[in-house]
Amino acid sequence: MVQTQLRDLAMDRALFGVDFKPKPADASGLDLVEFFFSANAGEMPRPLGKIASGGEISRVMLAIKTALAGRAGVPTLIFDEVDTGLGGRAAATVARKLEELALHYQILVISHLPQLASRATTHYRIEKIESGGRVATQVRLLSPDERVEEIARMLAGEHVTEGALANAREMLTGKFAGEELV
């Protein structure tokens, strides 16, 4: 089931496995569990934590959590870098997977991709601000108009154009690339 989810997340050649080894009983249980992973064709799966990038680990976690949706005992999932190395169709696919998970969990996603940010129910801007010689992190809920501007900035970079604003509005209404939000 995780393998199917990885394919849905634009990791068509990825392999995933789980290795269980018995160990003496302690507070963590009777088994040592290790995830094995290969992102590329022709490579044997190796320990996930030793070979996967941050983005690959986030997508594997997304695949596992999607496969287990509604069965895990945690109310909130946080994804950082789940969009690393993604664009276009793959980003839209990850966004849909996150929406699926949001039916079962509260999802927090730190993203730089408009495809993901535009699908969120609520959008916050996180900024580092220097004040009095110290750096602080500011988190601020965006208004609907600010959200359009932020998505447009994510699309266009420094110079937000009217075209980027129009594109952002389309993405936020769910009619981007002929796709309707559910």
Side-chain angles (χ1 to χ4, degrees), residues 67 101 113 146 166:
L101 277 178
L113 289 181
E146 289 173 321

Side-chain angles (χ1 to χ4, degrees), residues 74-111:
V74 295
T76 303
L77 301 176
I78 300 171
F79 292 95
D80 187 7
E81 293 187 38
V82 74
D83 56 7
T84 300
L86 294 181
R89 185 180 302 179
T93 300
V94 168
R96 280 193 301 278
K97 286 291 179 189
L98 290 166
E99 281 184 312
E100 277 180 43
L101 277 178
L103 298 173
H104 304 281
Y105 306 96
Q106 176 183 11
I107 306 293
L108 300 173
V109 179
I110 299 167
S111 178

Side-chain angles (χ1 to χ4, degrees), residues 16-21 32-36 46-50:
F16 177 81
V18 183
D19 185 43
F20 295 90
K21 290 186 178 136
L32 180 62
V33 180
E34 189 169 30
F35 294 143
F36 280 74
R46 293 182 293 186
L48 176 73
K50 293 183 180 177

Side-chain angles (χ1 to χ4, degrees), residues 1-181:
M1 197 155 179
V2 172
Q3 196 76 37
T4 301
Q5 297 300 327
L6 287 170
R7 283 179 182 35
D8 287 350
L9 292 167
M11 298 180 86
D12 296 337
R13 304 289 193 133
L15 297 174
F16 177 81
V18 183
D19 185 43
F20 295 90
K21 290 186 178 136
K23 65 175 188 71
D26 63 15
S28 66
L30 292 168
D31 296 303
L32 180 62
V33 180
E34 189 169 30
F35 294 143
F36 280 74
F37 175 75
S38 168
N40 303 308
E43 290 190 28
M44 293 298 299
R46 293 182 293 186
L48 176 73
K50 293 183 180 177
I51 63 154
S53 69
E56 288 169 339
I57 290 172
S58 289
R59 279 181 270 162
V60 168
M61 177 61 81
L62 178 57
I64 292 168
K65 289 298 186 181
T66 302
L68 295 173
R71 296 180 211 135
V74 295
T76 303
L77 301 176
I78 300 171
F79 292 95
D80 187 7
E81 293 187 38
V82 74
D83 56 7
T84 300
L86 294 181
R89 185 180 302 179
T93 300
V94 168
R96 280 193 301 278
K97 286 291 179 189
L98 290 166
E99 281 184 312
E100 277 180 43
L101 277 178
L103 298 173
H104 304 281
Y105 306 96
Q106 176 183 11
I107 306 293
L108 300 173
V109 179
I110 299 167
S111 178
H112 301 283
L113 289 181
Q115 292 95 328
L116 272 64
S118 66
R119 295 289 189 115
T121 304
T122 307
H123 192 156
Y124 293 86
R125 180 183 300 142
I126 302 171
E127 298 176 295
K128 288 187 179 181
I129 302 168
E130 188 172 336
S131 176
R134 299 206 49 178
V135 175
T137 301
Q138 177 181 357
V139 179
R140 191 170 61 77
L141 177 64
L142 299 180
S143 71
D145 288 340
E146 289 173 321
R147 190 165 184 211
V148 170
E149 291 170 16
E150 184 68 9
I151 298 294
R153 188 194 58 74
M154 293 170 95
L155 288 163
E158 286 183 41
H159 304 290
V160 175
T161 64
E162 194 52 50
L165 288 165
N167 196 352
R169 285 185 202 96
E170 283 182 3
M171 292 180 84
L172 288 164
T173 60
K175 296 181 178 121
F176 186 69
E179 185 177 297
E180 293 287 332
L181 292 178

